[in-house]
Amino acid sequence: MLEGWTPILLMGIIAAVIIFFISRNVSRIVLFFIAIILSLICFGVVIYSIIGVGGWNGMGMGFVTITVFLGIWIGTIIGAICKKRLNK
């Protein structure tokens, strides 16, 4: 049922896991800085997929990028919360 969506969902999950493991090794300020830089890159890719690529290819590129964007911020939030609880 999820044949076409599985790679897209896996990209988001992989991004969340990578950011979570990064959050365990860096400070909270560096974590949010990394997340903001990666978010700006994702935003640029979405703009490029709309303007530069267009069509179905651009829409696919946009879906993957939005999924990675959500994975980045989910991993950042979970990593920050876990780091906060471990430091108490």
Side-chain angles (χ1 to χ4, degrees):
M1 185 168 151
L2 289 174
E3 289 176 10
W5 291 96
T6 303
I8 296 172
L9 295 174
L10 281 176
M11 294 287 286
I13 292 169
I14 290 170
V17 169
I18 289 172
I19 293 294
F20 175 74
F21 283 119
I22 288 173
S23 72
R24 301 189 75 166
N25 297 325
V26 298
S27 68
R28 192 175 291 163
I29 294 171
V30 173
L31 175 66
F32 284 112
F33 182 72
I34 291 170
I36 289 171
I37 295 298
L38 291 174
S39 297
L40 289 174
I41 292 171
C42 287
F43 182 71
V45 171
V46 168
I47 296 298
Y48 173 72
S49 71
I50 292 170
I51 295 172
V53 178
W56 289 105
N57 293 334
M59 192 182 327
M61 188 182 219
F63 277 138
V64 170
T65 306
I66 290 171
T67 305
V68 170
F69 174 79
L70 291 174
I72 288 168
W73 280 103
I74 288 171
T76 301
I77 291 169
I78 291 172
I81 290 171
C82 288
K83 191 170 192 118
K84 183 178 178 183
R85 290 187 185 214
L86 290 175
N87 289 336
K88 274 190 173 182

